[in-house]
Amino acid sequence: MKKKNIAGATLVAAFLLLVSSSHCFYLPGVSPRDFRRGDILSVKVNKLSSTKTQLPYDYYYLNFCKPEKIVNSAENLGEVLRGDRIENSVYTFEMMEEASCKVAGRVTLDTESAKNFKEKIDDEYRVNMILDNLPVAVLRQRRDGGQSTTYEHGFRIGFKGNNAVVYQGYFINNHLSFRVMYHRDAETESARIVGFEVTPNSISHEYKDWRDNNTQLITCNKETKKLILGTGPQEVETGNEVVFTYDVTFKDSEIKWASRWDTYLLMNDDQIHWFSIINSLMIVLFLSGMVAMIMMRTLYRDISNYNQLETQDESQEETGWKLVHGDAFRAPINFGLLCVYVGTGVQIFGMTLVTMIFALLGFLSPSNRGGLMTAMVLLWVFMGIFAGYSSARLYKMFKGTQWKRNTLKTAFMFPGILFAVFFILDVLIWGEQSSGAVPFSTMFALVCLWFGISVPLVFVGSYLGFKKPAIEDPVKTNKIPRQIPEQAWYMKPLFSILIGGILPFGAVFIELFFILTSIWLNQFYYIFGFLFIVFVILLITCAEIAIVLCYFQLCSEDYHWWWRSYLTAGSSALYLFLYSVFYFFTKLEITKFVSGILYFGYMIIMSYAFFVLTGTIGFYACFWFVRKIYSSVKID
């Protein structure tokens, strides 16, 4: 009960409570369905998944019983990119009508089928099924004797016998005992499905005469509704005949439809998650407050001293950051590339912010399968207009002349690198015959979104940006650049950049653990409220650490702050990638070479996007800061 209350505290569950009333609107993909006694319930099958290989496969890649006609369910862009392949199955039953010893079909294993089954059992693949948009789950047995309900995603295809058990070899789970939980409406006779559990078993079935689905099994007594397990489990060997059977029971539940995802969302069974996030946020808030206070006091004293010196003794020599006012706004080396990265960072920031807002409102809850991925792709495309605008504004301030080339780089550089890495990974997945390989039609659709919508929007934004008047510097730039004095070791670019990334990474590394767990260990991620708070703290931390180090740099008479401010905050991506390496060797059991390449390929993409995002935040913070301080002092 305690776990249920914790899960209900999430914004997703709270928002879903709205749909429990018949007078409320329903979110896309999560509207309830009412069933009456005797209504047909059809179980759909999804991909076969494994946390050891990270390579999903179509359910019928293995020699399971097939319906007369396999029908693919309509899938959105996000589902296809995730490797979901939702199809119909041979498992059907009637609402509130219990059944036992039902025969789904039989198959005879040939050499290839037996080999595939053994490989997938070795890699601990799990079968994913869906009933009324609820994923099937296995009740997890708690070793500590606790009574709270937690689930595991899907059920294992089979198991491997070893010296510790009586039976040796590979065995398939060919008998499924389903339990469907429903919540009955007090006013009508209808009910809504609120739970879908399964208990898999392996039974070497026997029969006298095969009569398709009406076959009477010796190993399954319909009258007593009990299995006769004396024959042992069903072994996977070439030439063996496998009979697939299932039971179904129904249970009335007090769980309301709006709360039916609560137990699914608590599969990690780890309450410390909440306290760790709060603890991390408090520490980062405290550090950010101290940094802000120090900066405000120091800057106030500097500006007061400079202005007093201006009125009292004009002959006194300038010191500190005021000394480099004539070079502070000198265009940096490769300023065109900087404009491209800043524009791309604005695009990623817009996509992230709007995605989180939709997630907070419940539109991207786990019940809306593939919604998160779809939203990210589409929002990235439509945010191209902001990328072009911000890149063009900055490029015009630097007095750049090749605005068309700058716009093309903004439209193609970052997505081109991502697409190239993604395409290489997709080829590797395709070589493994995995359903995770993106089909050609989907790849073509992504290219069309990129070239047909994103690129034109970047050009529109760039056009609007160049039409605006150029941003004027608060001070004039000297014609001859000033010589930079020898810097102390702690002010060297490499050291200060690496130091600058520690604090932003510290703001997200605890939450990062749960994000990686949801991605690579097949868990649901749902606490978007906490994620949004962490995101805000990340923005504040990146801005403040970049401003502090920029201030120290200017005080050391080093005016090359443009790229340094970007790299200082962006270096947190390096720590993110190093943490992903640590996570790989400590939490994952990936052994295949292709799976390892897949993991690090996607983590490189994630780290690269994180670098562009945090670097842009640090740049704009320093840009605002430098303009502010130099417009606050009197300069001849």
Side-chain angles (χ1 to χ4, degrees):
M1 190 67 182
K2 185 177 180 182
K3 293 243 176 190
K4 181 179 176 183
N5 292 335
I6 292 175
T10 65
L11 288 174
V12 173
F15 196 82
L16 285 175
L17 287 174
L18 292 174
V19 302
S20 61
S21 170
S22 59
H23 300 290
C24 293
F25 69 95
Y26 300 134
L27 297 179
V30 294
S31 57
R33 290 181 60 192
D34 293 323
F35 297 94
R36 295 180 181 272
R37 179 180 293 273
D39 286 351
I40 299 298
L41 302 178
S42 298
V43 176
K44 296 180 180 180
V45 292
N46 199 350
K47 62 187 177 183
L48 306 174
S49 59
S50 169
T51 57
K52 291 187 67 174
T53 68
Q54 304 297 333
L55 294 169
Y57 284 87
D58 185 280
Y59 176 80
Y60 294 112
Y61 174 82
L62 297 180
N63 193 14
F64 288 115
C65 288
K66 300 178 178 63
E68 294 182 1
K69 182 180 180 182
I70 298 176
V71 180
N72 293 315
S73 298
E75 297 163 351
N76 57 42
L77 179 61
E79 287 177 305
V80 176
L81 293 177
R82 281 161 32 101
D84 288 345
R85 299 295 182 268
I86 302 174
E87 300 161 316
N88 60 328
S89 74
V90 295
Y91 299 102
T92 58
F93 27 85
E94 297 177 358
M95 184 67 175
M96 301 184 196
E97 299 289 345
E98 296 190 355
S100 63
C101 303
K102 293 200 67 173
V103 177
R106 63 174 178 173
V107 297
T108 301
L109 301 179
D110 55 21
T111 303
E112 184 179 358
S113 298
K115 176 175 174 290
N116 289 338
F117 269 114
K118 290 179 180 180
E119 288 179 353
K120 297 301 175 282
I121 291 173
D122 273 333
D123 292 331
E124 299 179 5
Y125 270 84
R126 306 182 79 90
V127 178
N128 296 284
M129 294 182 172
I130 302 170
L131 177 65
D132 190 35
N133 204 36
L134 271 183
V136 73
V138 177
L139 190 64
R140 178 182 292 170
Q141 301 294 328
R142 291 178 60 92
R143 297 179 180 178
D144 57 0
Q147 297 180 351
S148 57
T149 301
T150 56
Y151 288 132
E152 294 178 356
H153 283 269
F155 61 91
R156 291 198 176 185
I157 293 174
F159 58 93
K160 182 180 179 181
N162 52 44
N163 294 331
V165 297
V166 177
Y167 301 102
Q168 310 296 319
Y170 294 85
F171 305 96
I172 184 174
N173 288 323
N174 60 324
H175 181 85
L176 305 177
S177 297
F178 295 107
R179 184 167 76 155
V180 180
M181 288 167 286
Y182 62 92
H183 181 77
R184 194 189 300 270
D185 192 337
E187 298 178 357
T188 64
E189 296 181 358
S190 63
R192 293 174 178 175
I193 295 175
V194 295
F196 184 36
E197 299 176 1
V198 68
T199 302
N201 289 290
S202 180
I203 304 171
S204 180
H205 283 301
E206 296 179 1
Y207 59 88
K208 291 183 178 179
D209 298 318
W210 182 259
R211 299 177 181 176
D212 294 330
N213 293 348
N214 295 320
T215 301
Q216 178 62 48
L217 299 174
I218 300 175
T219 47
C220 191
N221 192 325
K222 286 189 175 182
E223 295 179 359
T224 61
K225 298 182 180 180
K226 289 185 179 180
L227 298 170
I228 302 172
L229 304 178
T231 59
Q234 176 61 59
E235 188 173 5
V236 178
E237 285 296 341
T238 302
N240 282 6
E241 184 182 67
V242 181
V243 179
F244 290 90
T245 57
Y246 64 98
D247 301 329
V248 57
T249 58
F250 291 85
K251 180 184 177 183
D252 198 349
S253 174
E254 296 181 357
I255 299 174
K256 293 184 178 181
W257 185 89
S259 304
R260 66 178 187 164
W261 277 85
D262 286 359
T263 47
Y264 288 85
L265 299 178
L266 285 168
M267 290 189 180
N268 54 9
D269 190 24
D270 199 352
Q271 294 185 39
I272 199 66
H273 175 107
W274 306 85
F275 304 108
S276 298
I277 294 175
I278 294 173
N279 180 59
S280 175
L281 297 181
M282 293 301 294
I283 292 174
V284 174
L285 280 172
F286 175 72
L287 291 175
S288 300
M290 289 190 62
V291 168
M293 183 180 65
I294 293 170
M295 286 302 303
M296 289 177 67
R297 294 189 61 177
T298 305
L299 272 175
Y300 179 78
R301 186 176 64 249
D302 284 350
I303 293 172
S304 298
N305 290 340
Y306 288 152
N307 289 335
Q308 288 176 6
L309 289 173
E310 186 70 27
T311 56
Q312 293 176 2
D313 188 4
E314 296 183 359
S315 62
Q316 188 165 347
E317 186 179 355
E318 297 175 348
T319 58
W321 52 265
K322 188 182 179 183
L323 192 62
V324 294
H325 66 83
D327 298 278
F329 293 95
R330 188 180 303 279
I333 300 174
N334 292 328
F335 65 84
L337 184 62
L338 179 63
C339 297
V340 170
Y341 271 101
V342 170
T344 303
V346 171
Q347 187 175 8
I348 295 176
F349 173 77
M351 176 200 71
T352 307
L353 181 63
V354 178
T355 300
M356 286 191 181
I357 292 174
F358 275 109
L360 286 172
L361 294 176
F363 285 94
L364 304 180
S365 67
S367 58
N368 190 5
R369 193 174 289 101
L372 181 63
M373 185 73 72
T374 304
M376 292 179 66
V377 172
L378 294 180
L379 286 171
W380 161 264
V381 168
F382 288 109
M383 290 295 166
I385 189 170
F386 298 104
Y389 180 83
S390 52
S391 177
R393 292 281 287 152
L394 200 60
Y395 191 74
K396 189 172 183 179
M397 186 192 72
F398 288 136
K399 298 179 176 58
T401 56
Q402 299 176 325
W403 70 273
K404 291 181 180 178
R405 177 180 294 183
N406 177 74
T407 306
L408 285 172
K409 286 183 179 178
T410 306
F412 288 101
M413 186 171 180
F414 178 81
I417 293 174
L418 257 61
F419 188 82
V421 176
F422 179 75
F423 182 78
I424 293 173
L425 295 177
D426 194 63
V427 170
L428 293 176
I429 299 172
W430 178 79
E432 295 291 323
Q433 299 180 330
S434 169
S435 66
V438 178
F440 175 78
S441 58
T442 305
M443 193 75 74
F444 180 74
L446 291 175
V447 173
C448 288
L449 286 173
W450 179 13
F451 284 84
I453 301 178
S454 179
V455 173
L457 286 177
V458 171
F459 271 90
V460 170
S462 182
Y463 173 76
L464 296 175
F466 274 107
K467 282 189 65 177
K468 301 278 287 185
I471 302 173
E472 296 184 0
D473 299 330
V475 293
K476 293 182 179 180
T477 301
N478 296 334
K479 293 182 179 180
I480 301 176
R482 180 185 179 86
Q483 186 175 0
I484 300 174
E486 182 68 23
Q487 300 292 303
W489 65 271
Y490 52 84
M491 289 305 299
K492 297 288 186 181
L494 182 61
F495 181 80
S496 61
I497 288 171
L498 293 178
I499 288 296
I502 294 177
L503 193 58
F505 173 74
V508 299
F509 87 96
I510 292 181
E511 193 65 20
L512 179 64
F513 170 81
F514 293 98
I515 293 175
L516 292 180
T517 300
S518 68
I519 296 174
W520 301 108
L521 293 181
N522 200 24
Q523 300 287 341
F524 286 117
Y525 188 86
Y526 62 99
I527 39 178
F528 294 105
F530 277 106
L531 182 62
F532 183 75
I533 296 173
V534 171
F535 179 67
V536 172
I537 295 299
L538 173 67
L539 301 184
I540 297 173
T541 309
C542 286
E544 288 187 342
I545 196 66
I547 288 173
V548 169
L549 294 180
C550 180
Y551 171 75
F552 291 151
Q553 181 184 352
L554 292 175
C555 287
S556 300
E557 301 178 20
D558 183 357
Y559 50 84
H560 294 313
W561 62 272
W562 299 95
W563 274 108
R564 180 94 66 97
S565 63
Y566 194 100
L567 297 175
T568 296
S571 65
S572 56
L574 173 63
Y575 297 100
L576 187 152
F577 182 75
L578 292 177
Y579 180 80
S580 70
V581 175
F582 169 79
Y583 185 87
F584 178 84
F585 288 105
T586 57
K587 299 297 180 183
L588 300 182
E589 300 178 0
I590 294 176
T591 54
K592 287 191 174 182
F593 176 75
V594 172
S595 302
I597 295 295
L598 188 68
Y599 173 84
F600 286 109
Y602 282 125
M603 290 311 303
I604 287 174
I605 291 177
M606 184 184 298
S607 301
Y608 185 36
F610 191 76
F611 163 75
V612 177
L613 171 64
T614 52
T616 301
I617 296 166
F619 170 81
Y620 271 118
C622 288
F623 183 64
W624 169 85
F625 170 74
V626 174
R627 289 180 60 84
K628 195 73 174 177
I629 62 174
Y630 282 108
S631 61
S632 302
V633 295
K634 300 175 182 177
I635 298 175
D636 294 335

